[in-house]
Amino acid sequence: MGLKSDLEEDVKRIYSSVWTRRKGQKVPEDTDLRAGNDAVDLQATILYTDLDESTKLVDNYKDEFAAENYKTFLQCATKIIRSEGGHIRSFDGDRVMGVFIGESKNTSAVRCGLKINYAVKQIIQPKMNAQYNTKYVMKHVTGIDSTNVMVAKAGIRNSNDLVWVGKAANHAAKLSAMSSSHPTWISDKVYDGMNDDVKYSKGINMWEERQWTAQNNRRIYRSTYWWSIS
């Protein structure tokens, strides 16, 4: 059997197979899902945080310096996500995805985003400046959205990953590509469902409302604030 026939059989099987879906009580692992049309439905808040202008970084600086910036950003981001109860489910170069569930998922994800901003501004940049005489300023963007998502397995044996199908995953990723002038961007669903302690600072709203013209003028919010890490 040639490659074309093999691919045709794979595609036919995927399109014709009946889906098995169940409500999830936890963030699934790779081993929780079968390779066929098997899925878990999950109410989740998805966070993507992305190192901004990484192309300029690798084009204009030594590869070792670029690698160190990738590593420090992802190291801090992943530890912060886990400290807020989030689950790491995907790495993509200079970007990481975190999944939050439970009653406080929006608040935890937003506090995580604000802490990542603190880490970049108050931990990574000062340490970088102390080590190197450089003009490089690290910039990043965190995007957060919350909806129901369907989680399934894609790929082939020994080379597969979970795919997260739903507005939250897609929109959080797109929000992480917004302007780094405001490092944290959240959707209306997240804003409306989060606690006031991540909404206000000393009585002042930390979030600026915007209209997302690319998504039918959906209401979104952006912030330059951070949450201190002790």
Side-chain angles (χ1 to χ4, degrees):
M1 181 181 291
L3 178 59
K4 180 182 178 182
S5 297
D6 190 25
L7 296 177
E8 288 176 339
E9 287 298 318
D10 287 343
V11 172
K12 179 180 178 181
R13 183 181 67 255
I14 292 169
Y15 279 134
S16 62
S17 297
V18 176
W19 279 92
T20 300
R21 299 176 67 166
R22 58 197 180 279
K23 289 186 177 180
Q25 303 299 319
K26 66 182 184 70
V27 178
E29 303 279 354
D30 177 80
T31 53
D32 295 327
L33 288 155
R34 299 190 303 274
N37 285 359
D38 183 39
V40 169
D41 291 306
L42 201 66
Q43 285 289 332
T45 297
I46 307 294
L47 175 151
Y48 273 99
T49 190
D50 189 6
L51 188 63
D52 193 36
E53 297 183 344
S54 57
T55 301
K56 290 183 179 180
L57 174 62
V58 298
D59 284 350
N60 295 291
Y61 295 88
K62 293 181 178 180
D63 53 2
E64 291 180 353
F65 179 74
E68 289 170 2
N69 281 287
Y70 276 50
K71 287 169 64 67
T72 54
F73 176 71
L74 293 174
Q75 180 84 356
C76 290
T78 53
K79 285 194 171 184
I80 291 168
I81 290 169
R82 285 177 174 163
S83 74
E84 288 294 333
H87 300 259
I88 307 297
R89 283 296 177 270
S90 178
F91 284 97
D92 182 13
D94 58 357
R95 182 172 73 171
V96 61
M97 169 187 170
V99 182
F100 297 79
I101 61 172
E103 293 184 1
S104 62
K105 58 185 181 296
N106 293 319
T107 301
S108 297
V110 170
R111 188 166 53 238
C112 177
L114 297 175
K115 285 186 175 181
I116 292 172
N117 190 32
Y118 177 91
V120 169
K121 301 292 196 305
Q122 303 297 321
I123 298 175
I124 298 175
Q125 192 68 49
K127 294 294 184 184
M128 183 199 312
N129 292 342
Q131 182 69 30
Y132 296 104
N133 179 18
T134 179
K135 295 181 180 180
Y136 175 73
V137 176
M138 181 178 288
K139 298 178 182 179
H140 78 289
V141 185
T142 299
I144 308 170
D145 195 11
S146 184
T147 59
N148 184 70
V149 294
M150 185 181 82
V151 190
K153 185 182 290 188
I156 60 177
R157 184 183 296 274
N158 298 324
S159 185
N160 53 53
D161 199 359
L162 299 182
V163 291
W164 300 76
V165 183
K167 184 181 288 186
N170 184 266
H171 283 201
K174 290 183 181 299
L175 287 170
S176 73
M178 302 292 264
S179 172
S180 60
S181 64
H182 291 72
T184 314
W185 293 75
I186 64 176
S187 72
D188 51 346
K189 295 271 291 195
V190 174
Y191 182 86
D192 293 342
M194 67 191 194
N195 293 341
D196 283 352
D197 61 340
V198 294
K199 189 177 292 186
Y200 300 99
S201 175
K202 299 178 181 178
I204 299 174
N205 195 325
M206 295 187 286
W207 301 91
E208 176 187 357
E209 182 177 337
R210 308 291 290 176
Q211 284 189 325
W212 197 359
T213 55
Q215 297 295 332
N216 298 317
N217 291 325
R218 185 182 185 189
R219 181 165 45 93
I220 56 176
Y221 295 82
R222 64 185 189 179
S223 180
T224 59
Y225 279 74
W226 61 59
W227 189 288
S228 296
I229 301 173
S230 57

